[in-house]
Amino acid sequence: MRNRVIICEASEIVANGLAEVIDSMAQFDVVARLDNLDRLSERITATDANLLVIDPTLLGFQYKEFLTPLAKEHPGITFIALATTCLDHSMLAPYNGVIELYDTRSKIISKMNEFVQSETTKKVDDVELSKREIDVLVAVAKGMMNKEIADQMNISIHTVISHRKNITRKTGIKSVSGLTVYALLNNLIDESELI
Amino acid sequence: MAKKKDLFSKTAKLAELIAGDRRLLQLLPRFGIALGFGDRSVEEVCLMNNVSTELFLTICEIYSDDAYKPVQHALHHTDMSSLLPYLKASHRYYLGERFPHLEEHLQRIIEACGPKYGPMLRHFYDEYKREVMRHIQYYEEEVVFPYIEALRNGQRPDTYQIKEFRHNHTNIQDVLDDMMNILLKYLPGDILPKERIEISLDIMELSDDLNRHSLIEDHILIPYVESLENALP
């Protein structure tokens, strides 16, 4: 599984330099380079990124107000701070890891590999599907689109997508047809309910 | 470390390259390299078989080294005449050999599943096969490759551009991984366990192969076609 990285950094020189290092790694692709945080949540959804590298100075002291809801909306994502200057420790606390401006190429590479590894091990807890996730799974198996599911369950499309990511994380199954087989095998739906 | 690098040089013996990584054996028929190459070097064998040595070594490295990604500026000087024949031969191998082999195994498991689970597994596989055929046969072979061949002949068809290239391989691999999860984790344990382990090992191998195949398309084919597009007026 290839990793998809978004870099948020105001300096083009720094952003391009880091992107070059990350892009040279076979299992990593930089899918977007942003110099501001406008519509970041939508960009994450659109690019299906799983790693977000942010320069904390872009956030200022409002970082909690920004990062907490973002992490909630995209539970599968790993946050990495790109420390381009001296920063207070509390500003780095919300991140899963830190890349420093003077890290060498090999240091960055080993850090990136470490970040995705800790992401996979973190996933071991809570394996049971929640009631809400089962509802979404059944709807997906019946062939409903995200928009239809959101309307029917009265939740946002973002929430539907995050439920779907959790379902995939817990079952190991990614495709709609695979989820349908999973739902049938676990008697969550009956064959007669399928179109 | 230095030793491994030496292995991927023109002057290394092909036999040594293969002894270093047996997975490279499967690349020979795709490049049309005949067996019986004796103790010849990689360059000699490639020359004899009309294969670009640089491209051959680059693809060998993609298969041998998980962390390897080809460097774009080096590719500008690589002779790409073997690329399309290689990709086509890979497609023939997947469609003509690997998938039929998988299907044969799966058929026995489907029969053993009986009426409760059999039909839905069948349906799952049939749908998957249609998707694979749609992407490889009807899209890449009938749209993308003829377009590239036209570019190589100096024409520019206005019907297609490489930036539209759809990365459907991800989906082909996802469903393959799902199939393995279903076979290993979710089907009742007493149905043909030996057969299911065997087919899962085959799926892992095929999934790894497809992963590297899409790396070749993303990092060699697409940049190459972009440079062809840019070279035309």
Side-chain angles (χ1 to χ4, degrees), chain A residues 151-166:
Chain A
D151 290 347
Q152 194 198 18
M153 293 176 69
N154 234 333
I155 50 180
S156 76
I157 284 202
H158 275 314
T159 314
V160 176
I161 291 171
S162 96
H163 280 314
R164 289 191 62 165
K165 279 190 180 157
N166 283 332

Side-chain angles (χ1 to χ4, degrees), chain A residues 7-75:
Chain A
I7 298 176
C8 306
E9 163 59 48
S11 154
E12 197 173 341
I13 295 177
V14 174
N16 286 351
L18 182 65
E20 194 275 325
V21 175
I22 295 175
D23 254 338
S24 75
M25 304 172 70
Q27 297 309 323
F28 290 83
D29 291 313
V30 175
V31 291
R33 261 171 266 180
L34 313 172
D35 58 6
N36 61 65
L37 302 170
D38 297 345
R39 297 160 52 82
L40 181 57
S41 182
E42 282 90 336
R43 299 294 289 271
I44 295 172
T45 309
T47 56
D48 196 23
N50 66 325
L51 286 149
L52 193 59
V53 181
I54 304 184
D55 184 341
T57 55
L58 280 175
L59 296 170
F61 287 103
Q62 307 285 299
Y63 59 94
K64 276 198 188 121
E65 287 81 345
F66 186 82
L67 290 176
T68 315
L70 200 63
K72 233 187 197 138
E73 255 174 60
H74 306 279

Side-chain angles (χ1 to χ4, degrees), chain B residues 7 13 17 43 55 65 106 125 132 162 187-188 205-206:
Chain B
L7 213 51
K13 284 182 186 169
L17 199 67
E43 189 171 36
L55 185 68
D65 183 353
L106 198 64
Y125 182 78
V132 173
I162 200 66
L187 268 189
E205 204 170 289
L206 181 60

Side-chain angles (χ1 to χ4, degrees), chain B residues 4-19 24 27-28 31 33-34 37-61:
Chain B
K4 187 157 190 199
K5 268 279 163 261
D6 291 342
L7 213 51
F8 293 100
S9 78
K10 298 188 226 188
T11 49
K13 284 182 186 169
L14 181 60
E16 278 170 9
L17 199 67
I18 290 163
L24 300 181
L27 301 181
L28 300 183
F31 275 106
I33 293 177
F37 39 77
D39 281 318
R40 292 190 188 86
S41 71
V42 170
E43 189 171 36
E44 285 170 320
V45 177
C46 283
L47 227 56
M48 280 169 62
N49 291 281
N50 240 334
V51 171
S52 152
T53 312
E54 281 83 18
L55 185 68
F56 177 75
L57 287 170
T58 306
I59 291 180
C60 282
E61 249 182 295

Side-chain angles (χ1 to χ4, degrees), chain A residues 1-2 22-29 170-175 177-179 181-182 184-187 191, chain B residues 66-69 116-117 119-120 124 127 174-175 177-178 181-182 185-188 211 214-215 218-219:
Chain A
M1 187 65 194
R2 309 251 286 274
I22 295 175
D23 254 338
S24 75
M25 304 172 70
Q27 297 309 323
F28 290 83
D29 291 313
K170 291 178 183 178
T171 60
I173 294 181
K174 303 186 199 97
S175 66
S177 54
L179 289 171
V181 173
Y182 177 88
L184 283 166
L185 280 173
N186 287 286
N187 298 316
E191 205 134 2
Chain B
D66 291 339
Y68 177 74
K69 207 170 189 177
K116 190 151 188 257
Y117 302 128
M120 88 187 166
F124 175 71
E127 212 177 290
D174 283 354
V175 183
D177 294 341
D178 288 355
N181 273 317
I182 289 166
K185 287 162 72 180
Y186 300 120
L187 268 189
N211 180 24
S214 53
L215 277 175
D218 289 353
H219 299 304

Side-chain angles (χ1 to χ4, degrees), chain A residues 54-122:
Chain A
I54 304 184
D55 184 341
T57 55
L58 280 175
L59 296 170
F61 287 103
Q62 307 285 299
Y63 59 94
K64 276 198 188 121
E65 287 81 345
F66 186 82
L67 290 176
T68 315
L70 200 63
K72 233 187 197 138
E73 255 174 60
H74 306 279
I77 210 156
T78 302
F79 290 92
I80 298 155
L82 173 58
T84 52
T85 170
C86 240
L87 290 166
D88 191 278
H89 270 296
S90 63
M91 279 179 88
L92 296 174
Y95 297 90
N96 306 84
V98 181
I99 291 176
E100 318 235 14
L101 190 57
Y102 291 99
D103 279 346
T104 58
R105 174 179 283 267
S106 58
K107 181 100 192 171
I108 296 172
I109 288 176
S110 74
K111 277 183 176 177
M112 290 301 289
N113 282 323
E114 212 173 284
F115 297 149
V116 291
Q117 245 154 40
S118 57
E119 190 193 355
T120 30
T121 44
K122 170 175 87 194

Side-chain angles (χ1 to χ4, degrees), chain A residues 117-134:
Chain A
Q117 245 154 40
S118 57
E119 190 193 355
T120 30
T121 44
K122 170 175 87 194
K123 287 169 183 168
V124 181
D125 52 340
D126 66 322
V127 282
E128 289 283 313
L129 293 178
S130 72
K131 175 80 187 61
R132 219 47 179 160
E133 284 160 0
I134 290 176

